[in-house]
Amino acid sequence: MSNPYREIFSVRGAKGFSAAGFFARLPIAMAPIGIVAMLSQTRGEYWIAGAVSAIFALTNALVSPQISRLVDRLGQSAIMVPTTAISVLAFIALIVGANQDWPAWALFVSAFFAAAMPSIPAMLRARWTELFRDRPELNTAFAFESAADELVYIAGASLSVGLAVALFPEAGMLVSTVFLVVGTAAFVLQRSTEPKVRHLEHGVSHGSAIRLRPVQIITLALVFVGSMFATAEVSAVAITKELGQPNAASLVIGVYAIGSFVVGLIIGALNPRMPLQRQLLIAVSVLAVTALPLTVADTVPLLALAVFVSGIAISPTFITAFGLIERRVPESMLTEGVTWVMTGIGIGMALGAFVAGWVVDNFGAQHGFFVSVIAGVASVAIIASGQRILAGGRTEAAEETLPQPAE
């Protein structure tokens, strides 16, 4: 039996841009927690550390689709170079500001401009799509990227905090910025695999990809999926602390990602033939059902087991969601469409962390997981109600951007 992952990496240039992209996207996981670790040590106040990190994360979530929209219009190299330069300079200013005790407003401004960092996962998926458009290998490539995303979040956050604690407060952010510079430069220099700039399809408006119904449905559903991730993390930290084993939180959260990582690789190798919209409905349904055991896990071993099981459908959800975007969004809007979905995940994580924190504070640690259950049900309802639209073709999606004729 052939190895599908060996096959996708046998294509010329695939190993190069994938390796460069892995390092270039590490800051996605390293920067938010790195800002907290850095400022909490240099300022001694968690509120400002969290606020600056939130400004960065939320601004990046809102700006990334606009940057990706420009990438679709002008090309990856033309946009990634200037936006990355702005982000790097802003990160350097933030690091210096933390070290030199600059006023709070300077830290917020630096974080705001650092959010110009482009969406590397979207750029990677665009390159895979250029290589394997409308071929089964694309599903394997998307499976690999989803697994790599999981690995980035596992390794990146731990590395950032570990460096800040073991060396000096700014160490995590400094290494994150170096990864951004080196990884992005290596990625951009590989011009042979850069997607061609495609002109807008005939009859398609210049509007944003978020106006497309498939993008709206998937993005909204993944807002709730993202909130499930954050809820699981917040609740796991609260429960392990309540049980007197706070150090077990990192183990529990790591198990959550490992389950997703393994299943994602398996799905990519199997490459199921079922329609993607049905696969997505099954994946979010599994997410919703497997969230239920979390509400009754009252020991660390039970919590770890329940979290592992609840994580098995994360990568399949991502794989099918991005696969649907590739098939339902006009080629000239692909990068922006992928980025909107990732923005939905980011917004969901921010909202989920806030809501779960409020529930834990007011009703107890165990009740935090009920937020995951509710969010899971909401994601199932959205994907189920959108099956007809998600089953449509790329042409139908493109036509939805056309202005409606007057009555």
Side-chain angles (χ1 to χ4, degrees):
M1 181 177 177
S2 61
N3 184 337
Y5 292 102
R6 184 183 294 120
E7 291 177 8
I8 63 172
F9 282 108
S10 66
V11 176
R12 183 178 180 182
K15 292 179 182 177
F17 78 72
S18 181
F22 181 84
F23 287 101
R25 66 180 157 186
L26 275 170
I28 295 173
M30 294 183 70
I33 191 66
I35 291 172
V36 173
M38 177 176 68
L39 293 179
S40 62
Q41 292 184 77
T42 58
R43 292 298 178 112
E45 296 175 305
Y46 278 94
W47 76 266
I48 191 170
V52 173
S53 180
I55 286 294
F56 166 77
L58 291 176
T59 304
N60 182 252
L62 295 173
V63 169
S64 288
Q66 314 313 319
I67 293 174
S68 293
R69 185 178 177 187
L70 290 173
V71 167
D72 284 329
R73 302 291 185 269
L74 302 174
Q76 290 188 352
S77 301
I79 302 302
M80 290 180 69
V81 171
T83 54
T84 301
I86 293 170
S87 182
V88 167
L89 291 174
F91 274 132
I92 292 172
L94 185 58
I95 294 169
V96 173
N99 182 266
Q100 298 298 313
D101 199 27
W102 285 3
W105 67 264
L107 302 179
F108 284 110
V109 170
S110 298
F112 177 83
F113 283 101
M117 183 173 69
S119 176
I120 300 297
M123 309 299 165
L124 282 160
R125 287 174 170 86
R127 293 206 178 201
W128 285 118
T129 301
E130 187 75 6
L131 293 177
F132 300 120
R133 191 181 304 277
D134 298 324
R135 290 168 56 184
E137 290 92 337
L138 185 60
N139 187 67
T140 301
F142 280 4
F144 172 80
E145 288 304 321
S146 294
D149 285 340
E150 295 288 343
L151 187 59
V152 163
Y153 279 106
I154 295 170
S158 300
L159 178 62
S160 188
V161 173
L163 289 170
V165 173
L167 300 179
F168 50 90
E170 302 86 1
M173 285 303 301
L174 187 59
V175 172
S176 173
T177 305
V178 170
F179 281 148
L180 181 60
V181 173
V182 176
T184 304
F187 186 81
V188 169
L189 286 173
Q190 298 179 66
R191 302 297 297 272
S192 64
T193 53
E194 181 175 347
K196 299 176 183 178
V197 177
R198 285 177 164 78
H199 298 293
L200 289 173
E201 286 83 346
H202 176 70
V204 178
S205 76
H206 291 265
S208 171
I210 197 61
R211 293 178 59 190
L212 301 173
R213 289 291 291 151
V215 178
Q216 292 172 357
I217 292 169
I218 295 172
T219 299
L220 180 59
L222 265 65
V223 167
F224 288 100
V225 171
S227 70
M228 295 179 73
F229 305 160
T231 297
E233 293 177 357
V234 170
S235 300
V237 170
I239 290 176
T240 52
K241 182 178 180 180
E242 191 176 86
L243 293 172
Q245 298 176 266
N247 293 334
S250 59
L251 172 64
V252 171
I253 293 171
V255 166
Y256 188 50
I258 289 171
S260 172
F261 177 82
V262 172
V263 174
L265 290 177
I266 293 173
I267 292 294
L270 294 177
N271 219 339
R273 297 181 179 275
M274 183 186 297
L276 284 176
Q277 71 275 5
R278 293 182 187 175
Q279 291 185 45
L280 182 57
L281 180 59
I282 291 172
V284 294
S285 297
V286 172
L287 274 178
V289 171
T290 54
L292 290 171
L294 294 170
T295 62
V296 295
D298 54 2
T299 66
V300 170
L302 281 177
L303 180 62
L305 177 60
V307 164
F308 176 83
V309 172
S310 70
I312 61 175
I314 296 174
S315 279
T317 298
F318 285 175
I319 294 166
T320 51
F322 290 123
L324 279 168
I325 290 294
E326 184 274 328
R327 297 188 187 186
R328 304 296 179 254
V329 173
E331 295 175 5
S332 58
M333 295 181 173
L334 176 61
T335 310
E336 185 192 355
V338 171
T339 306
W340 271 115
V341 174
M342 303 199 70
T343 294
I345 297 169
I347 292 174
M349 291 182 71
L351 293 175
F354 172 77
V355 175
W358 181 85
V359 171
V360 167
D361 287 339
N362 289 276
F363 301 100
Q366 197 73 50
H367 289 81
F369 285 121
F370 283 101
V371 179
S372 286
V373 174
I374 295 170
V377 172
S379 65
V380 172
I382 292 167
I383 296 300
S385 64
Q387 285 290 290
R388 183 183 61 81
I389 293 174
L390 295 177
R394 183 177 286 116
T395 302
E396 292 180 26
E399 288 174 351
E400 291 178 24
T401 64
L402 291 170
Q404 297 298 315
E407 295 291 339

